[in-house]
Amino acid sequence: MGFMSFIGNSAETSELHSVVGLRSRYYRANYTKTKAVIQELAEEFKLDVKNVDDQHGEILLQSNKFHIVVTIISVNPIETSVDFKVLMYAFVGFNRPQKKINEFYKYLDSKMTFKGVGLHP
């Protein structure tokens, strides 16, 4: 992790991210179960669900300090990928976006069956 990623106010997960903690995670669940768990996550962390776009598999969650775009991709009927993009409403992030992503993945790991990280490069 470099200096710019430490002070940056945004973080995003991807399939082949250089930071292992920011790689796409896969769960053994269908799209609707994953969406329901994301909505439970929003309630747990007191986030507002601003938009749910089932056509593109995106959910917009917002608080007064940051917003998150959650992307759910159904790889097959029993496997989904979950990616996060976090943008903090601050000039300097101090690694908080990455900490939020890790916190959200930890919550998902406790609620769904974790399958792996970066499985389909």
Side-chain angles (χ1 to χ4, degrees), residues 32-49:
T32 54
K33 179 177 179 4
T34 305
K35 184 172 84 168
V37 171
I38 295 294
Q39 290 174 336
E40 289 174 16
L41 177 141
E43 290 177 20
E44 179 77 22
F45 289 96
K46 295 176 178 53
L47 303 171
D48 295 329
V49 178

Side-chain angles (χ1 to χ4, degrees), residues 9-24:
N9 65 348
S10 68
E12 184 173 6
T13 61
S14 65
E15 192 69 30
L16 298 174
H17 202 285
S18 60
V19 178
V20 177
L22 293 179
R23 290 191 180 167
S24 301

Side-chain angles (χ1 to χ4, degrees), residues 36-83:
V37 171
I38 295 294
Q39 290 174 336
E40 289 174 16
L41 177 141
E43 290 177 20
E44 179 77 22
F45 289 96
K46 295 176 178 53
L47 303 171
D48 295 329
V49 178
K50 291 293 184 181
N51 188 23
V52 177
D53 184 359
D54 288 327
Q55 184 176 2
H56 295 102
E58 293 182 343
I59 301 173
L60 175 63
L61 307 175
Q62 189 172 16
S63 81
N64 58 353
K65 296 185 180 186
F66 59 90
H67 75 260
I68 305 160
V69 177
V70 184
T71 305
I72 305 168
I73 299 171
S74 184
V75 178
N76 59 45
I78 59 167
E79 181 181 8
T80 57
S81 167
V82 178
D83 284 305

